[in-house]
Amino acid sequence: MAIPVYLFTGFLESGKTTFIQDTLEDKRFNSGERTLLLVCEEGEEEYEPLKFSGKNVCIHTIDSVDELDENKLQEMVKSFKAERVLVEYNGMWLIQNFYDNMPEDWVPYQNMLFFDTNTFLSYNANMRSLVVDKLSDCDVCVFNRIEKGFDTMELHKIVRASSRRTNILYEYADGTLVPDEIEDPLPFDINAPVINIEDRDFALFYRDLTEEMKKYKGKTVRFKALAATDPKFPDKTCALGRHIMTCCADDIQYCGLVSKVKDVGMVQNASWYIVTAEVDIRFSRLYGKKGPVFNVKSLVDAEPPEEQIATFY
């Protein structure tokens, strides 16, 4: 039986404990399912189990990231006969540490991220990689303790630099909860006969293409790309893409997209090209799943762009 997992992430004193407490007091959510609550950090707020809507919650404290062991986590579920798992995750730990050690029958159901607006910009300036780590995977991001009149645009931009799919909520000091409704028009015309991608917009294009593949199927795109070739690639196949930096120099990686070229022998590894291609969505063993595949119409030699590392800013 699959075990649904609810992740609550954020830095210390960001409001995770209060939200989980309120959630477990709510009979609409906590209607009797045996629930294992894993607490990965200790803040000022403490849980009040007597206020939970039932005696169905087992709280287990995890003091070290080393305790995120698949066998230990599986044993906790078995010993309590838990039907679901809630995790108050430590904001200083990478999300991947949890996923790497999650038992196979645990299924991430929802990931909610909390930020105290009063400290968020400081965290973002000084611990950007940890902020991006949490933003890149969350379903919902909640900025709480906002004062009336606060301009949320900067918060919005920081979230959207990491994810276009995350829902953003603003919780004001008086308890009012307001959804983010700021529109994010793409910096290129997706309905044009040929979608021209400027160098500065490649990272946004790459993310939008990989997150919303279907809307690009059959479209023709033109962009500047760095080619990668390998004898192990399938016949008439190369990769075309750019190096992308998400938050800092340590996370720069080449983001190549599978590309079909009639004469792949003419493609030089590590060379720059102006690419014109039609987008298809199909399985490729280089992805190991369905993904965007470029059917290349033309490759024209090009000079490297001024900024060879693409960013979301």
Side-chain angles (χ1 to χ4, degrees), residues 150-165:
F150 183 89
D151 186 356
T152 60
M153 178 59 78
E154 187 170 6
L155 307 180
H156 171 92
K157 287 181 177 179
I158 292 172
V159 175
R160 286 292 172 257
S162 296
S163 172
R164 294 182 67 88
R165 68 175 181 83

Side-chain angles (χ1 to χ4, degrees), residues 287-304:
Y287 296 136
K289 58 182 180 181
K290 276 189 175 182
V293 175
F294 292 142
N295 294 317
V296 176
K297 296 181 177 180
S298 73
L299 282 177
V300 179
D301 293 340
E303 292 296 319

Side-chain angles (χ1 to χ4, degrees), residues 11-67:
F11 297 107
L12 196 65
E13 308 305 327
S14 60
K16 301 189 298 295
T17 303
T18 299
F19 184 86
I20 296 172
Q21 176 73 37
D22 291 344
T23 299
L24 291 174
E25 289 180 20
D26 189 338
K27 292 181 180 180
R28 292 171 298 178
F29 177 83
N30 192 14
S31 57
E33 299 91 338
R34 294 181 67 82
T35 303
L36 174 64
L37 172 58
L38 302 178
V39 181
C40 300
E41 66 180 2
E42 186 176 349
E44 290 185 7
E45 296 292 329
E46 294 185 0
Y47 287 103
E48 300 181 68
L50 293 179
K51 292 185 177 181
F52 294 162
S53 66
K55 308 297 181 184
N56 59 321
V57 180
C58 174
I59 301 176
H60 186 93
T61 301
I62 295 181
D63 297 314
S64 166
V65 70
D66 295 331
E67 294 179 38

